């Protein structure tokens, strides 16, 4: 199978990206090999119908009838506006959701990492008056990297077969935004079971991997240009529940790659999230 969603191999830092908020604040990126989601190939050998957004190859996964019907329905503005932000337990998370709901450009395009980080950075600065990097603990630093560099390496899952990556705590490697923010002491990690049992709060950040094998190799330290890992980074908005109040999907905010429809458990094999505490 083709795995065309490249997780960047270098931290995000220097260039402005529109993150789809009403303010013109952007995220920064540092010599990053950004790949457009339109490069994702369709997963072959599946019998499910192709939905409207054919660049989203995950809609081709062989789903059941009920799941296909749910996935094929776009997320409406009314559904998003009805999100209960009172469930949020973090001022920054609450601001992330509020900014998204108020935005006229919810699908700005670009790379998922830059968009999710930009939304996090903007909300953090609105709440605390500065970017989160000023509040990173000194204990995050290694002999090779500053706390900010470590944060970016983890956030971007910048895996490599080098001490720069392998000396980082294994607990947080490959967990993307969730791992970086949790390691910084700004949130609590939530695993796959927790995510799908209802533990997420609106504004939580999520890192997923389509294939468990990719995730495991990223954690250990891989040449991502050769591995070509298939992952995604986004913001959790709310759960979708059926008539029995059971969770059947997630409403998310990304750059427009998958936010047009709910995500379901089969979309990815590995899920990590972080509930913000700041």
């Amino acid at each position: 199978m083709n795995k065309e969603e490249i997780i960047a191999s270098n931290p995000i830092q220097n260039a402005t990206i529109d993150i789809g908020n009403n303010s013109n604040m952007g995220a920064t990126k540092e010599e990053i090999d950004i790949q457009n989601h339109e490069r994702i190939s369709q997963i072959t050998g599946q019998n499910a119908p192709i939905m409207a957004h054919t660049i989203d190859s995950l809609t081709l996964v062989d789903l059941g009838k009920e799941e296909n019907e749910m996935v094929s329905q776009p997320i409406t503005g009314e559904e998003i506006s009805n999100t209960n932000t009172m469930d949020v337990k973090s001022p920054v998370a609450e601001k992330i959701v509020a900014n998204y709901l108020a935005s006229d450009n919810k699908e700005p395009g670009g790379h998922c990492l830059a968009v999710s980080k930009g939304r996090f950075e903007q909300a953090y600065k609105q709440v605390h008056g500065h970017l989160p990097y000023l509040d990173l603990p000194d204990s995050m630093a290694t002999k090779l990297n500053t706390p900010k560099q470590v944060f970016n390496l983890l956030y971007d899952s910048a895996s490599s077969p080098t001490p720069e990556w392998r000396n980082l705590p294994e607990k947080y490697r490959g967990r993307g935004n969730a791992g970086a923010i949790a390691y910084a002491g700004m949130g609590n990690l939530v695993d796959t079971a927790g995510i799908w049992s209802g533990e997420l709060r609106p504004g939580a950040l999520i890192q997923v991997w389509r294939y468990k094998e990719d995730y495991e190799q990223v954690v250990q330290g891989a040449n991502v240009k050769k591995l070509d890992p298939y992952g995604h980074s986004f913001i959790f908005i709310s759960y979708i529940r059926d008539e029995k109040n059971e969770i059947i999907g997630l409403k998310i905010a990304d750059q427009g790659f998958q936010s047009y429809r709910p995500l379901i458990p089969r979309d990815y094999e590995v899920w990590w999230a972080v509930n913000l505490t700041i």
Side-chain angles (χ1 to χ4, degrees), residues 66-111:
E66 180 180 354
E67 289 175 325
N68 257 326
E69 290 177 352
M70 190 269 286
V71 168
S72 65
Q73 298 301 315
I75 300 175
T76 66
E78 182 179 357
E79 286 178 315
I80 293 175
S81 298
N82 288 335
T83 298
N84 184 7
T85 55
M86 295 302 292
D87 286 341
V88 177
K89 302 299 183 182
S90 154
V92 174
E94 183 176 3
K95 183 60 70 174
I96 289 174
V97 175
N99 287 345
Y100 180 73
L101 298 181
S103 174
D104 294 327
N105 184 19
K106 293 181 173 64
E107 299 181 350
H111 196 279

Side-chain angles (χ1 to χ4, degrees), residues 32-223:
I32 187 170
D33 180 21
I34 290 183
Q35 302 290 330
N36 193 301
H37 284 75
E38 292 181 358
R39 291 187 61 245
I40 297 180
S41 298
Q42 297 177 355
I43 298 177
T44 60
Q46 308 293 347
N47 298 319
I50 299 175
M51 307 305 174
H53 288 62
T54 54
I55 63 168
D56 177 2
S57 62
L58 299 182
T59 59
L60 302 181
V61 174
D62 189 13
L63 309 176
K65 179 179 179 181
E66 180 180 354
E67 289 175 325
N68 257 326
E69 290 177 352
M70 190 269 286
V71 168
S72 65
Q73 298 301 315
I75 300 175
T76 66
E78 182 179 357
E79 286 178 315
I80 293 175
S81 298
N82 288 335
T83 298
N84 184 7
T85 55
M86 295 302 292
D87 286 341
V88 177
K89 302 299 183 182
S90 154
V92 174
E94 183 176 3
K95 183 60 70 174
I96 289 174
V97 175
N99 287 345
Y100 180 73
L101 298 181
S103 174
D104 294 327
N105 184 19
K106 293 181 173 64
E107 299 181 350
H111 196 279
C112 61
L113 287 170
V115 173
S116 69
K117 184 181 283 188
R119 285 171 168 154
F120 171 68
E121 287 179 340
Q122 182 191 29
Y124 195 99
K125 186 171 183 179
Q126 288 172 323
V127 171
H128 296 284
H130 55 265
L131 292 175
Y133 309 107
L134 292 180
D135 296 330
L136 296 178
D138 293 338
S139 59
M140 288 184 70
T142 67
K143 293 181 179 180
L144 298 173
N145 297 107
T146 66
K148 181 177 180 180
Q149 290 171 330
V150 169
F151 182 91
N152 284 331
L153 285 168
L154 290 172
Y155 197 108
D156 304 338
S157 293
S159 179
S160 64
T162 65
E164 184 177 39
W165 176 254
R166 290 176 173 171
N167 285 343
L168 300 179
E170 184 173 346
K171 177 180 179 180
Y172 302 107
R173 299 201 304 257
R175 302 183 183 186
N177 48 28
I181 292 170
Y183 189 36
M186 297 178 178
N188 299 318
L189 280 173
V190 184
D191 62 12
T192 301
I195 289 171
W196 290 103
S197 64
E199 294 182 12
L200 290 186
R201 317 299 297 186
L205 286 85
I206 302 179
Q207 170 69 43
V208 292
W209 297 96
R210 180 67 182 93
Y211 305 105
K212 183 179 179 180
E213 180 181 356
D214 284 358
Y215 165 71
E216 292 173 344
Q217 291 189 59
V218 167
V219 169
Q220 292 306 312
N223 184 329

